[in-house]
Amino acid sequence: MSMPNDNELQLLEDELRQPLSKLLTGTVTSQDTARLLRILQPEFEQLKQICEDERYGQRAAGTPRRPTLLRLIRSQLSSYSKAYWIASLFVFVMLLIVLPTHDGVTAHSVGALFTFVLPALLLASLAYSFRSWNKEMRMIETITPYPPALLLIVRTMIVISLNLLYGIAGSIYMTVQVASFPVLPFMLEWMSLLLLVSGIAAYALMWKGFKTAIAFAGAFWISWNGFTQRIITIDNFAYDQNTFILQIASVVAGLLLLAMAYKRSYGTKLLP
């Protein structure tokens, strides 16, 4: 077959110029993305079922495999990079290094460090978790079999659980390092604030979105630490019945807010 000459190429370009010009498109908009997702949704569902069948074996006809919360948690855990786990562990190790472990150390002197660092680490982890949470990503998440808001609350629960584990590990560390260390007052001090800040952040996230959650939780954390530093100093702090009741009430309030946020996640429209 002979190669086309310049005249033939020019003629071909002239013939194709008009039909090809109709194929040119402008900038992709969010409406285009939403329309594409609606078109592809049936294909996604079919591919998902095929992958499930290949992984877990063929199931009986007419019994589709239901998504579970455990699978969602596992998938969200894998979304965190190694750098995040290493960085959070590094912060916790640095906290353990600066903790006072001499004889006679009080629960409040150590707890003051934990009530400052753990909520700060929580807020920083939340900011890392939702660093890519924009309008386009929320559109992509709507094609998952889970409510999109549930994805966010699961990420929040993962971060909260990690900080709780760090707090418990720190409590065990202090018990080993310091003889007769008052571990119960110490755990209640950092856990009451951490759970309350977590509950506020989670509920505000489902109520008004990520920015409001960070603002509310951060303001409460700063106010709490400022109040305790001004009113309750290390020298005159006394672990009495009123302190115990306040800390228990904070733990209960934090858990209730977390439960309400989890329940709300099934019917919440995502907000910026």
Side-chain angles (χ1 to χ4, degrees), residues 107-163:
H108 180 65
S109 62
V110 183
L113 288 173
F114 270 64
T115 55
F116 180 83
V117 174
L118 289 184
L121 183 58
L122 170 72
L123 296 177
S125 299
L126 287 177
Y128 175 86
S129 300
F130 305 126
R131 66 196 185 283
S132 61
W133 187 48
N134 51 33
K135 185 177 181 180
E136 289 74 20
M137 284 302 298
R138 296 201 300 274
M139 284 186 178
I140 297 297
E141 288 177 342
T142 59
I143 68 174
T144 67
Y146 304 95
L150 182 61
L151 298 177
L152 302 184
I153 204 65
V154 164
R155 293 175 190 173
T156 304
M157 295 299 181
I158 290 174
V159 170
I160 294 170
S161 300
L162 177 63
N163 283 272

Short mmCIF file of all heavy atoms in Angstrom, two decimals, residues 107-163:
data_model
loop_
_atom_site.label_atom_id
_atom_site.label_comp_id
_atom_site.label_asym_id
_atom_site.label_seq_id
_atom_site.Cartn_x
_atom_site.Cartn_y
_atom_site.Cartn_z
N ALA A 107 -1.11 12.87 90.16
CA ALA A 107 -1.87 12.53 88.97
C ALA A 107 -2.16 13.77 88.13
O ALA A 107 -2.16 13.72 86.90
CB ALA A 107 -3.18 11.84 89.36
N HIS A 108 -2.39 14.91 88.78
CA HIS A 108 -2.72 16.13 88.04
C HIS A 108 -1.52 16.69 87.30
O HIS A 108 -1.66 17.22 86.20
CB HIS A 108 -3.28 17.18 88.99
CG HIS A 108 -3.66 18.45 88.30
ND1 HIS A 108 -4.67 18.52 87.37
CD2 HIS A 108 -3.13 19.70 88.39
CE1 HIS A 108 -4.78 19.76 86.92
NE2 HIS A 108 -3.85 20.50 87.52
N SER A 109 -0.33 16.58 87.88
CA SER A 109 0.86 17.11 87.21
C SER A 109 1.12 16.37 85.90
O SER A 109 1.55 16.98 84.91
CB SER A 109 2.07 17.00 88.13
OG SER A 109 2.34 15.64 88.46
N VAL A 110 0.86 15.07 85.89
CA VAL A 110 1.03 14.30 84.66
C VAL A 110 -0.20 14.47 83.77
O VAL A 110 -0.10 14.58 82.54
CB VAL A 110 1.26 12.81 84.98
CG1 VAL A 110 1.50 12.02 83.71
CG2 VAL A 110 2.46 12.66 85.92
N GLY A 111 -1.37 14.47 84.40
CA GLY A 111 -2.60 14.59 83.62
C GLY A 111 -2.70 15.89 82.86
O GLY A 111 -3.31 15.95 81.79
N ALA A 112 -2.10 16.97 83.40
CA ALA A 112 -2.14 18.26 82.71
C ALA A 112 -1.45 18.16 81.35
O ALA A 112 -1.89 18.78 80.37
CB ALA A 112 -1.46 19.33 83.57
N LEU A 113 -0.35 17.39 81.27
CA LEU A 113 0.32 17.20 79.98
C LEU A 113 -0.55 16.41 79.02
O LEU A 113 -0.65 16.74 77.83
CB LEU A 113 1.66 16.49 80.19
CG LEU A 113 2.79 17.30 80.84
CD1 LEU A 113 3.98 16.41 81.14
CD2 LEU A 113 3.20 18.45 79.94
N PHE A 114 -1.20 15.37 79.52
CA PHE A 114 -2.04 14.54 78.67
C PHE A 114 -3.28 15.31 78.18
O PHE A 114 -3.69 15.14 77.03
CB PHE A 114 -2.46 13.28 79.42
CG PHE A 114 -1.51 12.13 79.24
CD1 PHE A 114 -0.20 12.22 79.70
CD2 PHE A 114 -1.91 10.96 78.62
CE1 PHE A 114 0.68 11.17 79.53
CE2 PHE A 114 -1.03 9.91 78.44
CZ PHE A 114 0.26 10.01 78.90
N THR A 115 -3.88 16.11 79.05
CA THR A 115 -5.06 16.87 78.63
C THR A 115 -4.71 17.96 77.63
O THR A 115 -5.60 18.48 76.95
CB THR A 115 -5.75 17.52 79.85
OG1 THR A 115 -4.81 18.32 80.56
CG2 THR A 115 -6.32 16.46 80.77
N PHE A 116 -3.43 18.29 77.53
CA PHE A 116 -3.01 19.27 76.52
C PHE A 116 -2.62 18.57 75.21
O PHE A 116 -3.03 18.99 74.12
CB PHE A 116 -1.84 20.10 77.03
CG PHE A 116 -1.35 21.14 76.06
CD1 PHE A 116 -1.99 22.37 75.96
CD2 PHE A 116 -0.28 20.88 75.23
CE1 PHE A 116 -1.55 23.32 75.04
CE2 PHE A 116 0.16 21.82 74.31
CZ PHE A 116 -0.47 23.05 74.22
N VAL A 117 -1.83 17.49 75.31
CA VAL A 117 -1.25 16.88 74.11
C VAL A 117 -2.26 16.00 73.38
O VAL A 117 -2.38 16.08 72.14
CB VAL A 117 0.01 16.08 74.49
CG1 VAL A 117 0.54 15.31 73.27
CG2 VAL A 117 1.09 17.01 75.03
N LEU A 118 -2.99 15.14 74.09
CA LEU A 118 -3.87 14.18 73.41
C LEU A 118 -4.98 14.86 72.60
O LEU A 118 -5.20 14.49 71.44
CB LEU A 118 -4.45 13.20 74.42
CG LEU A 118 -3.46 12.17 75.00
CD1 LEU A 118 -4.19 11.19 75.92
CD2 LEU A 118 -2.73 11.42 73.90
N PRO A 119 -5.70 15.85 73.16
CA PRO A 119 -6.69 16.52 72.31
C PRO A 119 -6.06 17.27 71.14
O PRO A 119 -6.65 17.34 70.06
CB PRO A 119 -7.38 17.49 73.28
CG PRO A 119 -7.20 16.88 74.62
CD PRO A 119 -5.84 16.27 74.57
N ALA A 120 -4.86 17.84 71.35
CA ALA A 120 -4.17 18.50 70.24
C ALA A 120 -3.83 17.50 69.14
O ALA A 120 -4.00 17.78 67.94
CB ALA A 120 -2.91 19.19 70.75
N LEU A 121 -3.35 16.33 69.55
CA LEU A 121 -3.06 15.28 68.58
C LEU A 121 -4.33 14.81 67.89
O LEU A 121 -4.33 14.51 66.68
CB LEU A 121 -2.38 14.10 69.28
CG LEU A 121 -1.94 12.93 68.41
CD1 LEU A 121 -0.97 13.38 67.33
CD2 LEU A 121 -1.31 11.83 69.26
N LEU A 122 -5.44 14.77 68.63
CA LEU A 122 -6.73 14.40 68.04
C LEU A 122 -7.14 15.38 66.95
O LEU A 122 -7.52 14.97 65.84
CB LEU A 122 -7.79 14.34 69.14
CG LEU A 122 -9.24 14.21 68.67
CD1 LEU A 122 -9.49 12.81 68.12
CD2 LEU A 122 -10.21 14.51 69.79
N LEU A 123 -7.08 16.67 67.24
CA LEU A 123 -7.49 17.68 66.27
C LEU A 123 -6.58 17.67 65.04
O LEU A 123 -7.04 17.82 63.91
CB LEU A 123 -7.49 19.06 66.92
CG LEU A 123 -8.50 19.26 68.06
CD1 LEU A 123 -8.34 20.65 68.68
CD2 LEU A 123 -9.92 19.06 67.57
N ALA A 124 -5.27 17.49 65.27
CA ALA A 124 -4.34 17.42 64.14
C ALA A 124 -4.62 16.18 63.29
O ALA A 124 -4.55 16.24 62.05
CB ALA A 124 -2.91 17.40 64.66
N SER A 125 -4.96 15.07 63.93
CA SER A 125 -5.27 13.85 63.18
C SER A 125 -6.56 14.01 62.38
O SER A 125 -6.67 13.50 61.26
CB SER A 125 -5.40 12.67 64.15
OG SER A 125 -4.19 12.45 64.84
N LEU A 126 -7.55 14.69 62.95
CA LEU A 126 -8.78 14.95 62.21
C LEU A 126 -8.50 15.81 60.99
O LEU A 126 -9.05 15.56 59.90
CB LEU A 126 -9.80 15.63 63.12
CG LEU A 126 -10.46 14.77 64.19
CD1 LEU A 126 -11.38 15.61 65.06
CD2 LEU A 126 -11.23 13.60 63.57
N ALA A 127 -7.66 16.83 61.15
CA ALA A 127 -7.31 17.67 60.01
C ALA A 127 -6.61 16.86 58.93
O ALA A 127 -6.85 17.05 57.73
CB ALA A 127 -6.43 18.82 60.47
N TYR A 128 -5.75 15.93 59.33
CA TYR A 128 -5.07 15.07 58.37
C TYR A 128 -6.08 14.14 57.69
O TYR A 128 -6.00 13.91 56.48
CB TYR A 128 -3.99 14.25 59.07
CG TYR A 128 -3.32 13.23 58.17
CD1 TYR A 128 -2.25 13.59 57.37
CD2 TYR A 128 -3.77 11.91 58.11
CE1 TYR A 128 -1.64 12.66 56.54
CE2 TYR A 128 -3.18 10.98 57.28
CZ TYR A 128 -2.10 11.36 56.49
OH TYR A 128 -1.51 10.44 55.66
N SER A 129 -7.03 13.61 58.43
CA SER A 129 -7.99 12.65 57.89
C SER A 129 -8.84 13.26 56.80
O SER A 129 -9.20 12.59 55.83
CB SER A 129 -8.88 12.11 59.00
OG SER A 129 -8.12 11.45 59.99
N PHE A 130 -9.19 14.54 56.97
CA PHE A 130 -10.11 15.18 56.04
C PHE A 130 -9.41 16.21 55.16
O PHE A 130 -10.03 17.12 54.65
CB PHE A 130 -11.24 15.87 56.80
CG PHE A 130 -11.97 14.92 57.72
CD1 PHE A 130 -12.13 15.22 59.06
CD2 PHE A 130 -12.48 13.74 57.24
CE1 PHE A 130 -12.79 14.34 59.91
CE2 PHE A 130 -13.13 12.85 58.08
CZ PHE A 130 -13.29 13.15 59.42
N ARG A 131 -8.09 16.05 54.94
CA ARG A 131 -7.35 17.02 54.14
C ARG A 131 -7.83 17.04 52.69
O ARG A 131 -7.69 18.05 51.99
CB ARG A 131 -5.86 16.68 54.18
CG ARG A 131 -5.51 15.37 53.50
CD ARG A 131 -4.12 14.88 53.90
NE ARG A 131 -3.72 13.69 53.17
CZ ARG A 131 -4.16 12.48 53.43
NH1 ARG A 131 -5.03 12.30 54.42
NH2 ARG A 131 -3.76 11.44 52.72
N SER A 132 -8.38 15.92 52.18
CA SER A 132 -8.85 15.85 50.79
C SER A 132 -10.37 15.83 50.71
O SER A 132 -10.93 15.45 49.69
CB SER A 132 -8.28 14.59 50.11
OG SER A 132 -8.72 13.43 50.79
N TRP A 133 -11.03 16.25 51.80
CA TRP A 133 -12.49 16.18 51.83
C TRP A 133 -13.07 17.42 51.14
O TRP A 133 -13.41 18.39 51.76
CB TRP A 133 -12.97 16.09 53.27
CG TRP A 133 -14.44 15.85 53.40
CD1 TRP A 133 -15.18 14.92 52.75
CD2 TRP A 133 -15.35 16.55 54.26
NE1 TRP A 133 -16.49 14.99 53.14
CE2 TRP A 133 -16.62 15.98 54.07
CE3 TRP A 133 -15.20 17.59 55.17
CZ2 TRP A 133 -17.74 16.42 54.75
CZ3 TRP A 133 -16.32 18.03 55.84
CH2 TRP A 133 -17.57 17.45 55.64
N ASN A 134 -13.15 17.40 49.80
CA ASN A 134 -13.71 18.51 49.05
C ASN A 134 -14.98 18.05 48.34
O ASN A 134 -15.42 16.91 48.47
CB ASN A 134 -12.69 19.04 48.04
CG ASN A 134 -12.11 17.92 47.18
OD1 ASN A 134 -12.79 16.94 46.88
ND2 ASN A 134 -10.84 18.05 46.83
N LYS A 135 -15.58 18.95 47.56
CA LYS A 135 -16.86 18.65 46.93
C LYS A 135 -16.78 17.48 45.97
O LYS A 135 -17.65 16.61 45.92
CB LYS A 135 -17.36 19.90 46.19
CG LYS A 135 -18.74 19.75 45.60
CD LYS A 135 -19.17 21.06 44.96
CE LYS A 135 -20.58 20.94 44.38
NZ LYS A 135 -21.02 22.20 43.75
N GLU A 136 -15.67 17.43 45.21
CA GLU A 136 -15.52 16.35 44.23
C GLU A 136 -15.35 15.00 44.92
O GLU A 136 -15.90 13.99 44.49
CB GLU A 136 -14.32 16.64 43.32
CG GLU A 136 -14.55 17.79 42.34
CD GLU A 136 -14.51 19.15 43.03
OE1 GLU A 136 -13.95 19.22 44.16
OE2 GLU A 136 -15.05 20.11 42.47
N MET A 137 -14.57 14.97 46.02
CA MET A 137 -14.39 13.72 46.74
C MET A 137 -15.70 13.25 47.36
O MET A 137 -15.98 12.06 47.43
CB MET A 137 -13.32 13.88 47.82
CG MET A 137 -11.90 13.90 47.29
SD MET A 137 -11.48 12.40 46.37
CE MET A 137 -11.66 11.16 47.64
N ARG A 138 -16.53 14.17 47.82
CA ARG A 138 -17.82 13.78 48.38
C ARG A 138 -18.70 13.17 47.31
O ARG A 138 -19.49 12.26 47.58
CB ARG A 138 -18.50 14.99 49.04
CG ARG A 138 -17.74 15.53 50.23
CD ARG A 138 -18.64 16.36 51.13
NE ARG A 138 -19.20 17.49 50.44
CZ ARG A 138 -18.60 18.67 50.33
NH1 ARG A 138 -17.39 18.83 50.84
NH2 ARG A 138 -19.19 19.68 49.72
N MET A 139 -18.60 13.66 46.07
CA MET A 139 -19.36 13.06 44.97
C MET A 139 -18.91 11.62 44.72
O MET A 139 -19.73 10.72 44.52
CB MET A 139 -19.16 13.88 43.69
CG MET A 139 -19.94 15.17 43.65
SD MET A 139 -19.76 15.95 42.04
CE MET A 139 -20.81 17.38 42.28
N ILE A 140 -17.59 11.42 44.72
CA ILE A 140 -17.07 10.07 44.50
C ILE A 140 -17.55 9.13 45.59
O ILE A 140 -17.93 7.98 45.35
CB ILE A 140 -15.53 10.08 44.44
CG1 ILE A 140 -15.05 10.92 43.25
CG2 ILE A 140 -14.99 8.67 44.36
CD1 ILE A 140 -15.47 10.39 41.91
N GLU A 141 -17.56 9.62 46.86
CA GLU A 141 -17.94 8.77 47.98
C GLU A 141 -19.42 8.39 47.96
O GLU A 141 -19.82 7.43 48.61
CB GLU A 141 -17.60 9.47 49.30
CG GLU A 141 -16.09 9.51 49.56
CD GLU A 141 -15.76 10.27 50.83
OE1 GLU A 141 -16.61 11.05 51.30
OE2 GLU A 141 -14.65 10.11 51.34
N THR A 142 -20.24 9.12 47.21
CA THR A 142 -21.66 8.79 47.16
C THR A 142 -21.93 7.51 46.41
O THR A 142 -23.05 6.98 46.47
CB THR A 142 -22.46 9.93 46.51
OG1 THR A 142 -21.98 10.17 45.18
CG2 THR A 142 -22.36 11.21 47.32
N ILE A 143 -20.96 6.97 45.66
CA ILE A 143 -21.19 5.74 44.92
C ILE A 143 -20.88 4.51 45.77
O ILE A 143 -21.05 3.39 45.31
CB ILE A 143 -20.36 5.70 43.62
CG1 ILE A 143 -18.86 5.58 43.95
CG2 ILE A 143 -20.64 6.91 42.76
CD1 ILE A 143 -17.99 5.40 42.74
N THR A 144 -20.39 4.71 46.99
CA THR A 144 -20.10 3.58 47.86
C THR A 144 -21.39 3.03 48.45
O THR A 144 -22.40 3.73 48.51
CB THR A 144 -19.16 3.99 49.01
OG1 THR A 144 -19.86 4.89 49.86
CG2 THR A 144 -17.92 4.67 48.46
N PRO A 145 -21.39 1.77 48.88
CA PRO A 145 -22.61 1.20 49.49
C PRO A 145 -22.89 1.72 50.90
O PRO A 145 -23.88 1.35 51.49
CB PRO A 145 -22.30 -0.30 49.52
CG PRO A 145 -20.81 -0.38 49.58
CD PRO A 145 -20.31 0.77 48.77
N TYR A 146 -22.03 2.58 51.43
CA TYR A 146 -22.21 3.13 52.78
C TYR A 146 -22.70 4.58 52.67
O TYR A 146 -22.37 5.28 51.72
CB TYR A 146 -20.90 3.09 53.56
CG TYR A 146 -20.27 1.73 53.66
CD1 TYR A 146 -19.29 1.33 52.75
CD2 TYR A 146 -20.65 0.84 54.65
CE1 TYR A 146 -18.71 0.08 52.84
CE2 TYR A 146 -20.06 -0.41 54.75
CZ TYR A 146 -19.09 -0.78 53.84
OH TYR A 146 -18.52 -2.02 53.92
N PRO A 147 -23.44 5.05 53.66
CA PRO A 147 -23.78 6.48 53.68
C PRO A 147 -22.50 7.30 53.72
O PRO A 147 -21.60 7.01 54.51
CB PRO A 147 -24.58 6.62 54.98
CG PRO A 147 -25.10 5.26 55.28
CD PRO A 147 -24.07 4.30 54.76
N PRO A 148 -22.36 8.32 52.86
CA PRO A 148 -21.10 9.08 52.83
C PRO A 148 -20.72 9.66 54.19
O PRO A 148 -19.54 9.68 54.53
CB PRO A 148 -21.42 10.20 51.82
CG PRO A 148 -22.47 9.62 50.94
CD PRO A 148 -23.30 8.74 51.82
N ALA A 149 -21.70 10.12 54.96
CA ALA A 149 -21.37 10.67 56.28
C ALA A 149 -20.82 9.60 57.21
O ALA A 149 -20.04 9.91 58.12
CB ALA A 149 -22.60 11.33 56.90
N LEU A 150 -21.22 8.34 57.00
CA LEU A 150 -20.71 7.26 57.83
C LEU A 150 -19.20 7.08 57.62
O LEU A 150 -18.47 6.73 58.56
CB LEU A 150 -21.44 5.95 57.51
CG LEU A 150 -21.04 4.73 58.35
CD1 LEU A 150 -21.31 4.97 59.83
CD2 LEU A 150 -21.81 3.49 57.88
N LEU A 151 -18.72 7.33 56.40
CA LEU A 151 -17.29 7.25 56.15
C LEU A 151 -16.54 8.25 57.03
O LEU A 151 -15.49 7.93 57.60
CB LEU A 151 -17.00 7.56 54.68
CG LEU A 151 -17.59 6.62 53.63
CD1 LEU A 151 -17.26 7.13 52.24
CD2 LEU A 151 -17.08 5.21 53.80
N LEU A 152 -17.10 9.44 57.17
CA LEU A 152 -16.44 10.47 57.96
C LEU A 152 -16.46 10.13 59.44
O LEU A 152 -15.47 10.34 60.15
CB LEU A 152 -17.12 11.82 57.72
CG LEU A 152 -17.15 12.30 56.27
CD1 LEU A 152 -17.76 13.69 56.20
CD2 LEU A 152 -15.76 12.31 55.67
N ILE A 153 -17.58 9.63 59.93
CA ILE A 153 -17.66 9.32 61.36
C ILE A 153 -16.76 8.13 61.69
O ILE A 153 -16.19 8.05 62.78
CB ILE A 153 -19.12 9.05 61.78
CG1 ILE A 153 -19.29 9.32 63.29
CG2 ILE A 153 -19.56 7.65 61.45
CD1 ILE A 153 -19.09 10.74 63.69
N VAL A 154 -16.59 7.20 60.76
CA VAL A 154 -15.68 6.08 60.98
C VAL A 154 -14.24 6.57 61.06
O VAL A 154 -13.47 6.14 61.92
CB VAL A 154 -15.84 5.02 59.88
CG1 VAL A 154 -14.67 4.05 59.88
CG2 VAL A 154 -17.15 4.25 60.08
N ARG A 155 -13.86 7.50 60.19
CA ARG A 155 -12.52 8.08 60.28
C ARG A 155 -12.32 8.79 61.62
O ARG A 155 -11.25 8.71 62.22
CB ARG A 155 -12.31 9.07 59.13
CG ARG A 155 -12.29 8.44 57.75
CD ARG A 155 -12.20 9.50 56.68
NE ARG A 155 -12.40 8.93 55.36
CZ ARG A 155 -12.52 9.64 54.25
NH1 ARG A 155 -12.44 10.96 54.32
NH2 ARG A 155 -12.71 9.06 53.09
N THR A 156 -13.35 9.48 62.05
CA THR A 156 -13.27 10.16 63.35
C THR A 156 -13.09 9.15 64.48
O THR A 156 -12.28 9.35 65.39
CB THR A 156 -14.54 10.99 63.59
OG1 THR A 156 -14.73 11.90 62.50
CG2 THR A 156 -14.44 11.77 64.89
N MET A 157 -13.85 8.04 64.43
CA MET A 157 -13.75 7.02 65.46
C MET A 157 -12.36 6.37 65.46
O MET A 157 -11.82 6.02 66.52
CB MET A 157 -14.82 5.95 65.25
CG MET A 157 -16.24 6.45 65.40
SD MET A 157 -16.58 7.11 67.04
CE MET A 157 -18.31 7.57 66.87
N ILE A 158 -11.77 6.20 64.29
CA ILE A 158 -10.43 5.62 64.21
C ILE A 158 -9.43 6.52 64.92
O ILE A 158 -8.59 6.07 65.72
CB ILE A 158 -10.02 5.40 62.74
CG1 ILE A 158 -10.84 4.27 62.13
CG2 ILE A 158 -8.53 5.11 62.63
CD1 ILE A 158 -10.62 4.07 60.65
N VAL A 159 -9.50 7.82 64.67
CA VAL A 159 -8.59 8.77 65.30
C VAL A 159 -8.81 8.80 66.81
O VAL A 159 -7.85 8.83 67.59
CB VAL A 159 -8.80 10.17 64.68
CG1 VAL A 159 -8.03 11.22 65.48
CG2 VAL A 159 -8.36 10.17 63.22
N ILE A 160 -10.07 8.81 67.24
CA ILE A 160 -10.37 8.82 68.68
C ILE A 160 -9.83 7.55 69.34
O ILE A 160 -9.22 7.62 70.42
CB ILE A 160 -11.88 8.95 68.89
CG1 ILE A 160 -12.38 10.31 68.41
CG2 ILE A 160 -12.23 8.76 70.37
CD1 ILE A 160 -13.90 10.42 68.37
N SER A 161 -10.05 6.41 68.73
CA SER A 161 -9.58 5.14 69.29
C SER A 161 -8.06 5.13 69.42
O SER A 161 -7.52 4.64 70.42
CB SER A 161 -10.05 3.97 68.42
OG SER A 161 -11.46 3.93 68.34
N LEU A 162 -7.37 5.67 68.42
CA LEU A 162 -5.91 5.72 68.48
C LEU A 162 -5.44 6.53 69.67
O LEU A 162 -4.53 6.13 70.41
CB LEU A 162 -5.36 6.29 67.18
CG LEU A 162 -3.83 6.46 67.12
CD1 LEU A 162 -3.14 5.11 67.23
CD2 LEU A 162 -3.42 7.18 65.84
N ASN A 163 -6.06 7.69 69.90
CA ASN A 163 -5.66 8.53 71.02
C ASN A 163 -6.02 7.91 72.36
O ASN A 163 -5.30 8.09 73.35
CB ASN A 163 -6.29 9.92 70.87
CG ASN A 163 -5.58 10.78 69.85
OD1 ASN A 163 -4.62 11.47 70.15
ND2 ASN A 163 -6.05 10.72 68.61
#
